[in-house]
Amino acid sequence: MQLPGLTSPLTDQQLSKLQQALAEMSPLQMSWVSGYLAALSQAGAGTIPAGAPVAAAGESLKLTILVASQTGNAAGVAKQLKAKADEQGVAADVVSMGDFKPNKLKNEKLLAIVASTHGEGEPPDDAEELHSFLVSKKAPKLNDAQYTVLSLGDSSYEFYCQTGKDFDERLGKLGAQAFVPRVDCDVDYDEAAATWIEDVVAKAKELTASSAAPTVAGTAAVSAPAESQYNKKNPFNASLLTNQKITGRDSIKDIRHIEIDLEGSDLQYQAGDALGVWFENDAALVDELLTLVKLEGNAELRAALINEYELTLSYPGFIKGLAEVTGNAELKAMAEDATQLRDYIADRQIIDIVRDYPLELTAEQLTGALRKMAPRLYSIASSQAEVDEEVHLTVGVVSYDAHGKPHMGGASGFLAERLEDGGQVKVFVEPNNNFRLPANPETPIIMVGPGTGVAPFRSFMQQRDADGIEGNSWMFFGNPHFTQDFLYQVEWQGYLKSGALERMDVAFSRDQEQKVYVQHRLLEQGKDVYAWLERGAHFYVCGDANQMAKDVHEALQTIVQEHGGKSEEEAQQYLTELRKAKRYQRDVY
């Protein structure tokens, strides 16, 4: 960026410093600086917003909070850390890893990393560049840096908290010192995260005390808009409006269209956001569990198991907890064999384990082995521009037979089977800033959403339609059968007829002898897909992370190689640049 030096009141040295600072900023950061300077100018020369640091003779030590978030949990923790730092007078900035330039890492002296893990131990999309940079030859020595890491994960998976572990290991090998040890958090992370935040802020305050720049009180900066009072810790008690099965009678899938009333909540969401759902466990399942462990009749425990503890997802910690409190030799042996343990819990819920090992327990032993319930996040399938004070979801019901018994998912079973029309469900909005429509609504978009991955693209199209945007949109949808599984078929046909949706390609995998998936349709249309990308299209993927998203990525790389005349390495770099520009976004699970 070149600044007009001839007409500027700044000195050459000031212009040079300003150019250097702007070159390191993302568009969002430049927008913030613009508003900041405007407020400063209006306040009068020499006036500084309250709490803003003044340049000191020595370098001021600041805590940089780098966040890698796929669904929003890590971003929430980072926000809490920043709030606590502000409260304690510790200078701190929160930066998404997607907006952080890796070659600036050498300038950081005090880092707090909050990182989630998804898929098979993979970093979130916004962390991929920094994650790769740290294992490359370009990674600098960081002998003068101090850091700490909070990892978010799910112990049900083999590569538990792997992204955070990777950052911890690499920063240590590059010479940085941990000023607070890494903390690995399971899905019930609130307590562990709160303790980590307290420790980090206390230590950071100690480290920054001698180097902190003085602050001068003055005119307060413009405050951000007030947030809704309802959030994860204080959910809104909404009511169910609609529960409609949208797959056919003979479909192998049971997918529901769910509509929830938000009237009176003032909750606002954007296309791409998720809805957090706090659910209730099946009372019949809880009663059987209590009987098996000889605790039937304990009303207080029963209520807690219905509302507070995870019963439908198994995790290694439950086996280990049972083994520890009961001394059962078979459980102890299993707990020490990671491979056997994961194979055993793969298709078992908590009730299956207790059926296999019906041990007499105290209430404290049972709850001590269980982990706290975590809300389920569902991609929102509506735009408030169309549905106002409602929120819509596309829910795949988890239902299967195993070990001679029927099983259902916790949240999907609650929404689809146990929650009656008009019944109450506790919800909150989970923003997803990594899955957003382009800032310019006329920008072309390509959407890939098989199965329930269609949900956010329904919200995208509702929003674009409400904004009066025609064309420049292309949908790829897939499911087993056209007659049974074409989700929202009438709506898609309506968008095509009106011109709001320009193109749609479908892949019904079992309607012909050879299975056809969305990645095959992408390859078939590769020439046009690449042409759309070259004219600035944003590419979105929503759905299964373990297989579909990987297959789509490989197909996209092949398209760039074949139709862009690029080598494999050049195609990989092309996709990396798309991600950095937020033109390749994924909402995968």
Side-chain angles (χ1 to χ4, degrees):
M1 177 183 291
Q2 297 297 316
L3 299 176
L6 292 175
T7 60
S8 170
L10 303 178
T11 66
D12 289 343
Q13 185 178 14
Q14 288 172 324
L15 273 172
S16 177
K17 288 181 178 179
L18 182 56
Q19 286 174 325
Q20 182 177 359
L22 291 174
E24 298 175 1
M25 293 182 187
S26 68
L28 179 62
Q29 291 169 325
M30 284 192 283
S31 177
W32 182 90
V33 168
S34 175
Y36 174 88
L37 292 176
L40 184 62
S41 175
Q42 292 173 2
T47 307
I48 298 177
V54 177
E59 182 183 5
S60 176
L61 195 61
K62 178 183 288 187
L63 177 66
T64 298
I65 306 167
L66 288 180
V67 57
S69 185
Q70 193 72 29
T71 63
N73 287 337
V77 173
K79 187 177 180 181
Q80 292 172 34
L81 175 56
K82 171 72 164 69
K84 189 68 176 179
D86 290 346
E87 178 186 304
Q88 295 297 315
V90 175
D93 286 332
V94 177
V95 183
S96 166
M97 289 190 189
D99 295 327
F100 184 77
K101 295 183 181 297
N103 60 2
K104 302 302 178 185
L105 188 64
K106 61 182 179 293
N107 300 328
E108 299 295 339
K109 304 303 179 188
L110 196 61
L111 279 171
I113 289 178
V114 186
S116 63
T117 296
H118 76 101
E120 297 177 5
E122 299 161 4
D125 289 348
D126 58 359
E128 284 194 356
E129 185 181 11
L130 182 59
H131 189 267
S132 298
F133 176 80
L134 286 173
V135 297
S136 72
K137 294 180 180 179
K138 296 181 180 180
K141 291 296 182 183
L142 300 172
N143 297 324
D144 295 331
Q146 298 188 69
Y147 75 95
T148 181
V149 176
L150 182 86
S151 311
L152 296 179
D154 184 341
S155 62
S156 301
Y157 294 92
E158 181 177 358
F159 299 99
Y160 173 56
C161 288
Q162 189 61 49
T163 300
K165 293 174 182 177
D166 291 345
F167 279 120
D168 187 21
E169 178 186 7
R170 287 305 303 162
L171 290 171
K173 285 185 176 180
L174 292 171
Q177 300 294 314
F179 70 91
V180 170
R182 186 189 82 238
V183 172
D184 295 335
C185 297
D186 212 333
V187 291
D188 52 339
Y189 60 84
D190 288 339
E191 186 175 335
T195 300
W196 178 79
I197 287 171
E198 292 284 348
D199 292 344
V200 169
V201 172
K203 187 64 177 178
K205 188 173 184 178
E206 180 182 316
L207 291 170
T208 58
S210 60
S211 63
T215 61
V216 178
T219 304
V222 178
S223 60
E227 295 185 359
S228 169
Q229 62 176 309
Y230 298 108
N231 50 43
K232 180 180 178 181
K233 293 183 179 180
N234 180 37
F236 176 66
N237 209 22
S239 59
L240 177 68
L241 294 173
T242 300
N243 170 10
Q244 178 185 1
K245 186 178 181 183
I246 53 175
T247 43
R249 181 176 56 188
D250 298 324
S251 175
I252 61 174
K253 298 183 176 183
D254 181 355
I255 297 177
R256 307 295 178 94
H257 173 72
I258 302 291
E259 298 182 359
I260 293 172
D261 188 3
L262 299 179
E263 184 177 0
S265 70
D266 291 325
L267 282 170
Q268 301 292 313
Y269 59 86
Q270 298 183 54
D273 285 344
L275 188 76
V277 175
W278 289 100
F279 60 97
E280 295 178 7
N281 285 311
D282 187 351
L285 194 72
V286 170
D287 289 338
E288 182 185 355
L289 175 61
L290 289 171
T291 298
L292 288 169
V293 298
K294 306 295 191 296
L295 286 170
E296 60 266 47
N298 188 326
E300 183 177 350
L301 177 58
R302 183 178 187 271
L305 292 177
I306 289 174
N307 294 288
E308 299 175 23
Y309 289 92
E310 182 62 70
L311 299 182
T312 50
L313 294 178
S314 294
Y315 35 91
F318 183 68
I319 300 287
K320 294 174 181 177
L322 282 186
E324 184 177 337
V325 299
T326 65
N328 182 280
E330 191 173 344
L331 286 172
K332 289 177 69 174
M334 190 189 303
E336 294 169 0
D337 186 333
T339 301
Q340 180 190 0
L341 179 54
R342 293 200 175 277
D343 287 344
Y344 175 76
I345 67 173
D347 64 348
R348 284 178 168 85
Q349 297 182 343
I350 295 298
I351 191 66
D352 295 307
I353 299 171
V354 180
R355 284 167 180 159
D356 289 346
Y357 299 94
L359 302 165
E360 186 171 349
L361 301 173
T362 66
E364 291 73 19
Q365 288 173 332
L366 176 59
T367 56
L370 291 169
R371 71 183 184 192
K372 287 295 185 72
M373 180 187 290
R376 303 295 193 262
L377 298 178
Y378 291 98
S379 300
I380 292 175
S382 57
S383 165
Q384 284 189 299
E386 179 163 323
V387 303
D388 197 18
E389 293 187 300
E390 295 180 12
V391 61
H392 298 178
L393 307 177
T394 310
V395 177
V397 181
V398 177
S399 179
Y400 61 98
D401 291 329
H403 314 291
K405 298 282 188 178
H407 294 69
M408 291 205 77
S412 66
F414 174 68
L415 289 170
E417 300 296 335
R418 299 193 297 279
L419 185 62
E420 298 180 352
D421 286 349
Q424 302 296 292
V425 54
K426 296 176 180 178
V427 301
F428 60 95
V429 172
E430 186 70 52
N432 186 357
N433 294 321
N434 295 318
F435 206 76
R436 287 279 183 259
L437 281 166
N440 179 356
E442 299 284 354
T443 301
I445 60 172
I446 300 173
M447 304 165 283
V448 183
T452 56
V454 74
F457 303 130
R458 183 175 184 264
S459 76
F460 278 20
M461 289 308 302
Q462 286 187 359
Q463 185 63 53
R464 286 170 68 92
D465 193 42
D467 291 340
I469 307 302
E470 292 189 5
N472 280 337
S473 53
W474 189 353
M475 179 68 193
F476 288 84
F477 173 75
N479 236 353
H481 296 287
F482 170 81
T483 57
Q484 302 291 322
D485 307 302
F486 197 165
L487 308 183
Y488 304 113
Q489 177 185 356
V490 173
E491 293 183 26
W492 293 117
Q493 290 172 332
Y495 287 133
L496 285 167
K497 185 177 181 180
S498 71
L501 181 64
E502 184 171 332
R503 299 179 64 169
M504 186 168 192
D505 283 82
V506 294
F508 294 104
S509 59
R510 291 173 173 81
D511 277 352
Q512 59 284 311
E513 185 176 347
Q514 186 174 359
K515 292 181 180 178
V516 177
Y517 298 107
V518 286
Q519 64 267 24
H520 299 130
R521 296 299 187 216
L522 281 165
L523 290 168
E524 290 171 2
Q525 303 295 335
K527 181 180 179 181
D528 286 351
V529 169
Y530 184 71
W532 277 51
L533 292 175
E534 283 295 278
R535 66 184 179 95
H538 287 218
F539 191 90
Y540 299 89
V541 183
C542 182
D544 170 56
N546 292 328
Q547 194 61 53
M548 182 277 295
K550 292 178 181 178
D551 290 340
V552 167
H553 182 83
E554 290 177 4
L556 193 57
Q557 181 177 310
T558 299
I559 288 169
V560 174
Q561 286 180 241
E562 292 183 356
H563 300 282
K566 300 182 187 297
S567 67
E568 180 178 349
E569 184 177 348
E570 289 171 336
Q572 290 173 348
Q573 184 59 35
Y574 183 94
L575 297 184
T576 297
E577 292 301 321
L578 285 183
R579 279 181 168 164
K580 288 169 63 176
K582 298 190 183 301
R583 289 180 50 207
Y584 179 12
Q585 299 184 30
R586 304 193 305 171
D587 179 8
V588 295
Y589 38 84

